[in-house]
Amino acid sequence: MSYTDATIQVLSPEGVIVENDTTAPYLPLVEKLSDAELQEMHRQMVVIRRFDIEAGNLQRQGHLGIWIPSLGQEAAQVGSATASRPQDHIFPTYREHVVGRMRGVDPVDTLRIWRGLTHGAWDPKVVNNFHLYAVVLGTQTLHATGYAMGLTFDGATGTGTPDTDAAVIAYLGDGASSQGDVSEALVFAASYQAPILFFLQNNHWAISVPVTRQSRTPLYLRPSGFGIPGVQIDGNDVLASYAVTRENLEETRAGGGPRFIEALTYRMGAHTTSDDPTKYRDDAELDFWTRHDPIARFEAFLRAKGAGDDFFDSLTQEGEDLAADVRARTLALPVPSSSAMFEHVYSEAHTLMQEQAAWLAAYEASFEGGAA
Amino acid sequence: MTIETLSMAKAINNGLRAAMKADEKVILMGEDIGPLGGVFRVTEGLHAEFGGNRVLDTPLAESGIVGTAIGLAMRGYRPVCEIQFDGFIFPAFDQIVTQLAKLTARHQGHQTFPVVIRVPFGGHIGAVEHHQESPEAYFAHTAGLRVISPSNPHDAYWMIQEAIASNDPIMFFEPKSRYWPKGEVDLSASGSPTYSSRVVREGTGVTLVAYGPMVSMALQAAELAAEEGTSIEVIDLRSLSPIDYAPVVASVQKTGRLVVASEAPGNVSIASEVAATLAERAFYSLEAPVLRVSGFDTPFPPAKLEANYLPDVDRILEAVDRSLAY
């Protein structure tokens, strides 16, 4: 629906490799992927979708306050995450569940946030530089840019050694593209020639506001005004997502300055479980994107390459196992003690925190042994 | 003891230089802070001495300055951001309040955010709209931020270095009306813990609490009152989050009277917080209601009216008289 002549598509919706002048630079990268690597990408997409459904169920059953589905965006996320290197830093929005999982985040930790147990459920250093979710749209693009500026100042990038030179990926969405922070991030990234790739998933809807209200120009053209090259890909094509991200990351890693990718995809579900897309979307649009499902497309490709039912059945089983495991462990998550509110507000002693924590502890203790 | 006589602007400049020499991760960011040295020349000479990767003349985008400083802090840097004028801080308000202030807690202690945001603030310089404001209460109201404000060159020299050494985000409010008067700076020792308030003039009749630009005015008021036989004890808060109440409580227990002076509008202000807390902690010592002397709850007026808007010695003494009349 929103595909343009500029949209880079490596795998057609029927699951066939597209060979033309546009895809020619990317095909060698795709050809280098082993069957095992290709199947791993599929595994990540299939399993996270099952997790996503389970999380939605948990919300509907009252076990999560809210859930933010990524249904339909699996290829954009898995392809780009596969293209990253271990030393890269990734600054997500709040929907990159599979990117986090691929970097080492336990999916149950993701749910701790939505179960109301924590605002930040992992240590980025432990999960391979996958930073915390950012709920305020676009704020993370400035943090990512600052981090990338630091890489440059430290000489940790652009030395010509891709195995150790680091780069940054900042994820954002079409809604965030209107935020001032995103424009400021593009300005700073360009000014300091920071090694950062802005990866915009255009899922067409910012809750109920269509992308056409965010931008009258295709979003991949916007960075050109900042002096940053931008490209548009079919975000439901995991191979395009992988190959174009890989190429752009290697360019920025090598000192080429910032890059920008607009991945055209679709939020097949609701914005969150609090949303009701039937109030603002047509069935025809959903039908179009259902026919462009990223997982069905890649399955067709893998089947043509020889993958059989055993493989696909094993992924289904793995998804079921993960869903059961996630459900059990989520329901067993402990609620933090009330004193946790005061911990880590500051890293050094602050009298207000000490006084109020002490007061609350004494107040709560006054009920112990009393009328329950 | 090594004493130098310096303006506050120069004292902060020297403090920044010392911090940058001590730790190569200390970097400065802001608008016009490079070769120009900032609009108040607080960073003068630092760009030439430390280079453009340590003293970043940034694009004119306050949210961008603070947001990228956060990322640099994650990378291990200790950024010191200059917001050019008090009234220009609001484009960065979101990054300060929703991000910088909350990221330490969001990271559950796994990451610290040693970012200092320097804000020249307050009136008395006859400038245009947005250049004379006192927005400190917004930040003191925000959990996760520390807010401090020096009133004299000695404190400025030490407090900026202490702020940079802290692992918490710190809002550093510099009273721009006090940038130029010179004072003695003891380069050998600070003499006070960072988050402590301090009795700067002893007295017995009324306690007068002030901070930042109002401290020198409070001292003038005390001097004039003494000539008429009224003994005022003046306390410089120095830190607005946290506030060190012990010296204030002790003073009020002695004097029984409290006047709080600040340039900021009085409604929902630091002065209000001090008044409320002393009502809780020193109720039986008070002989009179706690009084506030503050800017009015209007927008900061055009320059020709600033003398009518800002508290001055006479308004402080008027409040002291009212307190004593009870």
Side-chain angles (χ1 to χ4, degrees):
Chain A
M1 274 195 166
S2 59
Y3 292 136
T4 70
D5 290 344
T7 310
I8 300 168
Q9 187 180 74
V10 173
L11 198 61
S12 75
E14 295 73 34
V16 177
I17 293 283
V18 178
E19 296 188 44
N20 59 30
D21 290 348
T22 307
T23 61
Y26 304 108
L27 294 180
L29 283 169
V30 170
E31 285 158 10
K32 274 192 206 157
L33 292 169
S34 66
D35 282 353
E37 287 169 322
L38 292 167
Q39 291 185 3
E40 171 64 12
M41 291 160 83
H42 194 68
R43 184 178 80 87
Q44 291 290 355
M45 292 197 290
V46 169
V47 172
I48 209 70
R49 183 171 286 191
R50 181 63 187 87
F51 162 75
D52 203 320
I53 291 165
E54 192 65 20
N57 293 345
L58 283 165
Q59 194 280 334
R60 286 295 186 244
Q61 292 158 1
H63 301 305
L64 300 180
I66 195 169
W67 173 241
I68 302 183
S70 58
L71 194 78
Q73 298 181 219
E74 295 89 351
Q77 295 185 10
V78 169
S80 55
T82 303
S84 66
R85 291 178 184 264
Q87 70 270 27
D88 292 342
H89 279 255
I90 296 177
F91 288 76
T93 70
Y94 42 71
R95 206 185 292 274
E96 282 71 36
H97 312 312
V98 71
V99 180
R101 183 162 195 246
M102 290 169 69
R103 299 297 287 199
V105 175
D106 179 345
V108 173
D109 276 340
T110 314
L111 299 189
R112 286 171 60 210
I113 301 170
W114 317 114
R115 193 166 160 83
L117 302 173
T118 183
H119 294 317
W122 52 84
D123 177 359
K125 293 182 204 72
V126 172
V127 293
N128 298 292
N129 315 320
F130 184 75
H131 288 262
L132 296 186
Y133 279 174
V135 173
V136 182
L137 292 192
T139 51
Q140 78 283 1
T141 60
L142 280 170
H143 308 163
T145 300
Y147 198 96
M149 288 163 61
L151 289 174
T152 305
F153 298 154
D154 290 344
T157 187
T159 71
T161 45
D163 287 342
T164 53
D165 283 348
V168 173
I169 303 178
Y171 284 96
L172 68 156
D174 47 296
S177 72
S178 295
Q179 291 284 352
D181 274 2
V182 172
S183 285
E184 295 191 19
L186 293 171
V187 169
F188 275 69
S191 291
Y192 294 97
Q193 287 296 287
I196 180 168
L197 168 65
F198 295 93
F199 191 94
L200 184 149
Q201 291 169 83
N202 176 355
N203 72 12
H204 290 77
W205 291 93
I207 308 188
S208 68
V209 180
V211 66
T212 49
R213 181 68 70 196
Q214 310 287 348
S215 184
R216 286 297 180 114
T217 186
L219 286 166
Y220 79 94
L221 293 176
R222 196 176 283 176
S224 68
F226 294 85
I228 297 173
V231 293
Q232 186 182 61
I233 65 170
D234 180 347
N236 282 7
D237 169 2
V238 70
L239 295 181
S241 179
Y242 165 75
V244 178
T245 302
R246 185 78 177 183
E247 181 184 84
N248 279 274
L249 261 184
E250 298 307 271
E251 287 170 358
T252 197
R253 184 192 312 288
R259 292 290 188 273
F260 187 106
I261 293 173
E262 178 192 10
L264 294 172
T265 181
Y266 194 71
R267 195 193 76 207
M268 292 171 76
H271 166 70
T272 70
T273 44
S274 303
D275 178 30
D276 178 4
T278 63
K279 288 184 179 296
Y280 55 82
R281 294 202 303 211
D282 316 341
D283 291 345
E285 184 179 278
L286 186 58
D287 288 347
F288 173 88
W289 286 102
T290 303
R291 281 182 275 112
H292 288 74
D293 186 299
I295 292 179
R297 180 188 312 200
F298 205 52
E299 179 173 335
F301 170 73
L302 292 178
R303 282 192 185 276
K305 282 181 71 74
D309 287 342
D310 286 356
F311 169 66
F312 296 104
D313 290 348
S314 75
L315 299 190
T316 304
Q317 187 57 49
E318 184 181 340
E320 293 302 323
D321 293 346
L322 177 69
D325 173 58
V326 162
R327 166 173 290 269
R329 288 195 293 131
T330 297
L331 297 182
L333 286 169
V335 176
S337 72
S338 60
S339 64
M341 289 190 290
F342 302 99
E343 293 166 7
H344 309 305
V345 177
Y346 298 90
S347 68
E348 297 158 8
H350 189 287
T351 49
L352 265 187
M353 297 303 106
Q354 294 167 324
E355 289 165 8
Q356 293 179 6
W359 183 88
L360 181 59
Y363 177 73
E364 290 180 344
S366 74
F367 294 100
E368 282 174 13
Chain B
M1 189 182 282
T2 313
I3 303 289
E4 273 193 45
T5 302
L6 300 171
S7 68
M8 185 186 286
K10 184 62 179 167
I12 296 170
N13 179 277
N14 285 359
L16 291 170
R17 180 178 289 101
M20 294 181 78
K21 279 185 177 166
D23 184 350
E24 64 177 16
K25 291 296 185 184
V26 176
I27 58 172
L28 311 186
M29 305 173 69
E31 298 163 3
D32 304 299
I33 67 164
L36 179 65
V39 294
F40 292 105
R41 310 293 183 267
V42 172
T43 58
E44 191 155 49
L46 299 177
H47 184 270
E49 187 170 343
F50 295 99
N53 280 0
R54 300 279 310 277
V55 181
L56 277 67
D57 244 341
T58 64
L60 273 67
E62 288 79 8
S63 190
I65 293 168
V66 175
T68 54
I70 289 168
L72 282 157
M74 290 174 174
R75 180 67 197 163
Y77 284 85
R78 308 183 81 84
V80 183
C81 305
E82 176 175 307
I83 300 295
Q84 197 160 67
F85 283 93
D86 34 57
F88 297 169
I89 200 166
F90 299 102
F93 199 60
D94 179 57
Q95 282 287 347
I96 295 171
V97 173
T98 76
Q99 303 303 310
L100 183 59
K102 296 179 171 66
L103 276 163
T104 304
R106 200 179 300 152
H107 280 80
Q108 294 290 293
H110 297 306
Q111 173 80 56
T112 57
F113 290 85
V115 177
V116 177
I117 300 182
R118 296 180 37 240
V119 190
F121 84 120
H124 290 293
I125 67 165
V128 302
E129 195 179 11
H130 315 301
H131 289 65
Q132 305 216 76
E133 298 174 5
S134 297
E136 61 273 17
Y138 293 111
F139 303 97
H141 187 68
T142 300
L145 301 176
R146 294 173 184 271
V147 183
I148 61 179
S149 181
S151 66
N152 61 74
H154 173 82
D155 278 354
Y157 174 75
W158 286 106
M159 286 165 75
I160 189 65
Q161 294 181 71
E162 291 158 6
I164 293 168
S166 168
N167 282 326
D168 285 331
I170 296 197
M171 306 298 297
F172 191 81
F173 281 91
E174 300 172 4
K176 61 175 100 80
S177 64
R178 307 305 302 167
Y179 267 149
W180 303 286
K182 290 188 176 178
E184 288 192 345
V185 177
D186 180 351
L187 299 176
S188 54
S190 124
S192 304
T194 311
Y195 307 107
S196 62
S197 56
R198 188 168 65 211
V199 176
V200 290
R201 179 189 171 109
E202 292 191 357
T204 55
V206 177
T207 301
L208 175 57
V209 166
Y211 59 88
M214 289 301 290
V215 174
S216 64
M217 201 162 282
L219 288 168
Q220 287 174 46
E223 192 67 36
L224 288 170
E227 291 171 11
E228 295 180 4
T230 301
S231 173
I232 297 179
E233 179 147 296
V234 179
I235 296 177
D236 180 355
L237 285 182
R238 299 179 358 112
S239 175
L240 310 180
S241 176
I243 293 176
D244 173 20
Y245 284 107
V248 186
V249 171
S251 179
V252 170
Q253 283 170 345
K254 178 173 64 176
T255 64
R257 297 170 201 280
L258 175 61
V259 173
V260 189
S262 77
E263 286 191 16
N267 189 39
V268 198
S269 64
I270 300 292
S272 303
E273 187 58 35
V274 172
T277 302
L278 267 291
E280 288 176 353
R281 298 191 188 180
F283 182 74
Y284 286 113
S285 301
L286 286 167
E287 302 287 344
V290 180
L291 299 177
R292 289 171 291 166
V293 183
S294 66
F296 295 108
D297 294 300
T298 66
F300 197 98
K304 295 298 184 197
L305 291 175
E306 74 171 322
N308 306 86
Y309 173 88
L310 288 167
D312 59 10
V313 170
D314 289 337
R315 272 161 59 180
I316 291 172
L317 290 174
E318 187 271 341
V320 167
D321 287 347
R322 267 194 289 142
S323 178
L324 286 167
Y326 276 90

